[in-house]
Amino acid sequence: MLLAARSAVALHRLLDAVLVFAGDERVTRLFTLVPGSDFGVDALAAVERIGGRTVPWSEALRGSYDLVLSASPKGDVRLIRGTHVLLPHGAGYSKSLPGEGSDSASGLDPVFLRRTDLALHAVAHPDQAARLVAWDDAAPAKVVGDPTLERLLASRPLRDRYRAALGTGSRTLVVLASTWGPESLLHRHPGLAQELAARLPYDAYQLALVLHPNEHSRLGSYELAQRLAPACDAGLIIADPYEEWASLLIAADALITDHGSAALYYTAAADRPAVGVHEDDGAELIPDSPMHTLLRGIPRLRDAGALIHALRAWRPGPGAQAARQAFDRQGQALDLLRSELYALLGLTPPPTPARPRPLPAPRPAVRTPAAFDVDTDVTAADEIRVTRRPAGLGPPGDHLAAEYDAASEPYIRSAGLLYRRPLPQAPWAADAWIRHALDAYPGCRTAAAILPDGLTLLGTRDRPALHAVRAHPRNEAGRIIHPDPAAVASAVHTGRQPSHLRCRIGDRTYDVTVRPATPTESATPF
């Protein structure tokens, strides 16, 4: 069997589909790169990462194969001798690319699909099959569903694991989904992630970016990270274009999307909040397509400052409706595709059924902020509200809080609150480090040592005795929610040190106990 891909996105689709042959020693999987795409370089790199055996294009043309799988009808793939099967390239077929074939949906363009070599065109929805038959009543179109969606559906029980891997905690994970090209979120709103990081409270929101594989190929990981450096420094997660993007959609609480099909996978997995940024002047979105259904039914995000309002305006329904327009046979795709492919091979499938492989856990952010502009105020309920935002992205706060051993020296020297988290080899006693921090940095008024068990020892310049600060977790329907001790230290830094106080961080209020530290606690290594 030859898997023929022109780009990384096509290869990723094929990798999800060939799970139907898992465990069958009768099938040998070979890969080749079909020339002609501007985005082909990452396809070969992806094959190398998984350890696949590649066949040079010239050799592929000389051979003959029992099965040739592709996920794009473009290029010279038809020159390969064998039984050809075309698999879904994307979700919903909602985008038309000017100057590419005709004005039909990309992936369903008759200019590329009127082929005599196709034994099967597997599609995800009856509407797609009907469109193919309307162009050519002999088209070998069959509805098998979407193998990539099967992996998302199978991975829904792993949502908590994914969020734990990302370090999300109780925050709202907002994913920005960008397709590729001049009408994409990344091209039209390149500063949106940075603007959101500057505006959204860090303890209430986490940001991630799901970017089309073509943009990863066009820019490369280094250039992409440099262009998004301020947002990455503030904790933005950039998903890997294979598998990880889908794990992030499972983990997400909300989505900001253009007209790219990633949003349809998100809404098919769960009908959670989504807002759109696609502009009405775009020429790529196809009217009455699944993405058009979604975008006209969800709130529009006009600027970064309006995100919370837009999310509150979201109502369930349009997402599920759009997903039904894009995907059929949900939960059956691997079984249906398996039957079709084994029939073409003339083989009896193994007795073990094909099962979608759960998605791997995503990686956390490469960088997280170690310095914060912090605003504090006392609410009407006599709570101390703490709002932290990554330092340097917006106006300064009431005070600057910086993490010792993590923030850069300019932030350390300017911080009114210095805090330190435990290190594996515990080089300091807590009270010794607090004295060191207050002596070494004259601008520091408060130094806080966060111990391994979450207890925080806090010393101030005008109070020689240390205080022990403990924030009590919240129990929300059985889920235990802990605040970041560094955020609680900012509340105590305000100078209010009664034996008990209430600290509001994000949408949650925590009871906090403040008492004199014991000698044993003060000498704790950390």
Side-chain angles (χ1 to χ4, degrees):
M1 176 178 64
L2 185 66
L3 285 75
R6 297 181 73 245
S7 63
V9 64
L11 176 68
H12 299 160
R13 302 294 178 185
L14 296 177
L15 293 176
D16 289 339
V18 295
L19 294 176
V20 299
F21 296 115
D24 194 337
E25 73 282 357
R26 297 171 296 176
V27 178
T28 300
R29 302 148 194 83
L30 304 174
F31 298 85
T32 194
L33 178 66
V34 181
S37 173
D38 293 335
F39 309 109
V41 61
D42 277 7
L44 281 180
V47 174
E48 290 178 1
R49 281 197 300 271
I50 65 172
R53 181 186 169 194
T54 59
V55 177
W57 176 246
S58 58
E59 182 180 330
L61 292 180
R62 291 194 301 267
S64 180
Y65 300 90
D66 298 300
L67 201 59
V68 180
L69 299 186
S70 59
S72 171
K74 301 167 189 173
D76 292 331
V77 66
R78 67 187 70 197
L79 300 179
I80 301 172
R81 291 193 297 272
T83 301
H84 283 252
V85 173
L86 183 60
L87 299 172
H89 173 73
Y93 298 100
S94 300
K95 185 176 178 180
S96 176
L97 301 179
E100 185 178 272
S102 69
D103 59 357
S104 297
S106 180
L108 285 179
D109 196 321
V111 170
F112 300 107
L113 291 176
R114 287 181 175 139
R115 296 169 49 180
T116 59
D117 62 318
L118 269 183
L120 171 64
H121 187 172
V123 294
H125 195 276
D127 288 348
Q128 299 161 15
R131 184 181 298 187
L132 291 171
V133 172
W135 296 327
D136 182 358
D137 57 10
K142 290 192 178 180
V143 180
V144 301
D146 188 297
T148 296
L149 177 63
E150 298 303 297
R151 299 193 67 190
L152 273 85
L153 299 179
S155 302
R156 288 183 293 189
L158 281 69
R159 174 174 160 84
D160 284 348
R161 181 179 295 274
Y162 297 160
R163 293 172 65 83
L166 294 167
T168 304
S170 61
R171 292 181 289 175
T172 296
L173 174 57
V174 179
V175 171
L176 290 77
S178 176
T179 187
W180 66 285
E183 295 182 18
S184 67
L185 182 153
L186 186 67
H187 281 243
R188 291 204 167 186
H189 308 280
L192 181 58
Q194 179 179 339
E195 293 171 17
L196 290 170
R199 291 175 176 269
L200 296 174
Y202 180 81
D203 295 293
Y205 293 89
Q206 184 181 33
L207 296 173
L209 173 65
V210 166
L211 187 61
H212 194 283
N214 285 357
E215 286 294 343
H216 282 273
S217 295
R218 183 179 71 89
L219 295 173
S221 58
Y222 173 79
E223 179 64 21
L224 182 61
Q226 291 305 306
R227 292 190 181 197
L228 297 170
C232 291
D233 290 341
L236 176 72
I237 297 162
I238 301 179
D240 187 85
Y242 178 52
E243 297 183 318
E244 195 170 67
W245 68 273
S247 302
L248 275 170
L249 295 185
I250 296 295
D253 297 295
L255 186 77
I256 301 172
T257 185
D258 54 20
H259 58 305
S261 63
L264 296 173
Y265 288 105
Y266 169 80
T267 59
D271 197 4
R272 294 193 178 99
V275 297
V277 293
H278 182 70
E279 304 295 342
D280 293 333
D281 63 350
E284 294 180 354
L285 180 64
I286 296 176
D288 298 322
S289 63
M291 273 307 301
H292 187 222
T293 296
L294 176 64
L295 290 171
R296 71 188 176 196
I298 59 177
R300 179 76 62 85
L301 181 63
R302 300 295 181 182
D303 62 76
L307 176 62
I308 295 175
H309 176 76
L311 291 176
R312 288 173 178 165
W314 173 86
R315 296 293 181 270
Q321 180 185 358
R324 287 192 297 269
Q325 283 182 244
F327 306 109
D328 199 59
R329 314 295 199 267
Q330 294 187 26
Q332 306 173 51
L334 288 188
D335 287 337
L336 294 171
L337 181 60
R338 186 185 199 223
S339 297
E340 296 292 342
L341 296 184
Y342 271 99
L344 290 174
L345 289 172
L347 296 175
T348 301
T352 305
R355 302 198 184 281
R357 186 171 298 149
L359 298 161
R363 299 162 299 167
V366 174
R367 299 186 293 278
T368 55
F372 294 92
D373 289 311
V374 186
D375 288 306
T376 58
D377 63 274
V378 180
T379 70
D382 204 31
E383 301 170 338
I384 300 178
R385 179 187 290 121
V386 175
T387 304
R388 300 192 300 171
R389 294 180 177 86
L393 292 183
D398 296 335
H399 67 269
L400 177 68
E403 181 178 352
Y404 193 82
D405 290 331
S408 64
E409 181 72 6
Y411 284 131
I412 296 293
R413 292 203 172 277
S414 302
L417 166 64
L418 279 179
Y419 61 93
R420 186 175 179 275
R421 302 185 191 274
L423 293 177
Q425 296 183 354
W428 287 92
D431 56 352
W433 177 80
I434 289 172
R435 289 195 301 271
H436 163 74
L438 293 172
D439 290 343
Y441 298 98
C444 173
R445 184 168 65 85
T446 304
I450 301 172
L451 302 185
D453 67 351
L455 182 71
T456 299
L457 301 184
L458 188 143
T460 60
R461 189 167 296 281
D462 55 352
R463 295 184 183 181
L466 300 189
H467 283 80
V469 179
R470 172 79 71 181
H472 302 284
R474 291 172 55 97
N475 186 322
E476 298 182 357
R479 288 180 177 267
I480 308 302
I481 310 296
H482 293 268
D484 184 349
V488 177
S490 279
V492 182
H493 172 76
T494 62
R496 296 169 56 87
Q497 293 188 10
S499 59
H500 291 86
L501 59 87
R502 289 169 60 80
C503 179
R504 187 165 186 82
I505 303 171
D507 294 330
R508 293 176 170 85
T509 300
Y510 300 89
D511 291 321
V512 179
T513 301
V514 182
R515 58 170 176 78
T518 68
T520 300
E521 291 168 338
S522 298
T524 301
F526 87 120

